[in-house]
Amino acid sequence: MKAYITESVKKRMMELLLTFCMVTTGSVFVCAVYNKVFWPQGTFLESDILWQLLALAFVCSLGNSYREISRRRAVFNKGLHYVYINVVVLGCGYWFEWMDIENISMLAVMMLGILVVFAVVSYVIWKLHARESENLNRKLREYQQAVEKAPQSV
């Protein structure tokens, strides 16, 4: 028996994978900058941090969902998603002992890192969706033109 995956499920899985890859890359970059800023003399990182970053990226990626909704609702959802990402990352940062939450500069740099990664990932996904919409609109126009040119049967 073959298992069939619908196009929408396939598309959602690919988007989740893309988001995961971008968040993972951004997290590693922020981790490198963060370590250079707060421990310029160098630091020994436990190998656990790699698993922690992967888990963090996965959990952050899960909050990414796109459906056809109004612009106002989309802005609200994006704001809610940003809060979700902050709670997840700062919560993990505290739980995994990546930072001292009483150190305001560590907290500020972590929040700046969250903002940068969130903005870049959101922009890339927005551009991909805009390109997909353009392609769908182009195909629809081509179809409509082909229908208009086809001879009408009586």
Side-chain angles (χ1 to χ4, degrees):
M1 176 185 252
K2 289 185 178 181
Y4 293 98
I5 299 176
T6 65
E7 272 308 305
S8 64
V9 171
K10 231 187 263 187
K11 181 180 165 188
R12 177 69 182 121
M13 288 171 54
M14 290 303 294
E15 191 171 288
L16 182 67
L17 181 62
L18 175 65
T19 302
F20 173 76
C21 290
M22 288 189 296
V23 171
T24 301
T25 303
S27 298
V28 170
F29 179 77
V30 168
C31 180
V33 170
Y34 189 80
N35 279 300
K36 199 62 162 168
V37 167
F38 291 104
W39 296 281
Q41 70 282 4
T43 182
F44 175 74
L45 296 175
E46 298 284 331
S47 61
D48 288 348
I49 196 165
L50 299 173
W51 295 110
Q52 293 165 357
L53 287 172
L54 290 172
L56 174 75
F58 179 74
V59 173
C60 288
S61 297
L62 291 178
N64 226 2
S65 73
Y66 293 94
R67 295 178 302 281
E68 295 297 323
I69 52 176
S70 70
R71 191 174 295 270
R72 184 175 170 185
R73 179 66 187 189
V75 169
F76 175 77
N77 286 357
K78 188 57 72 177
L80 199 59
H81 187 227
Y82 181 70
V83 170
Y84 166 77
I85 297 298
N86 273 280
V87 168
V88 168
V89 174
L90 294 175
C92 285
Y94 176 73
W95 187 38
F96 294 138
E97 299 176 351
W98 294 342
M99 65 179 183
D100 175 11
I101 59 171
E102 294 176 3
N103 184 331
I104 299 300
S105 59
M106 277 187 166
L107 191 60
V109 169
M110 185 70 82
M111 291 179 78
L112 178 63
I114 294 167
L115 179 63
V116 168
V117 172
F118 183 82
V120 169
V121 171
S122 295
Y123 177 76
V124 169
I125 289 176
W126 174 73
K127 288 299 280 184
L128 289 173
H129 282 254
R131 186 173 12 161
E132 183 180 1
S133 292
E134 288 174 18
N135 286 338
L136 288 173
N137 286 334
R138 181 182 46 76
K139 287 179 182 180
L140 181 59
R141 277 191 305 275
E142 289 171 0
Y143 173 76
Q144 288 171 340
Q145 289 171 354
V147 167
E148 288 173 1
K149 290 180 182 178
Q152 301 293 326
S153 60
V154 183

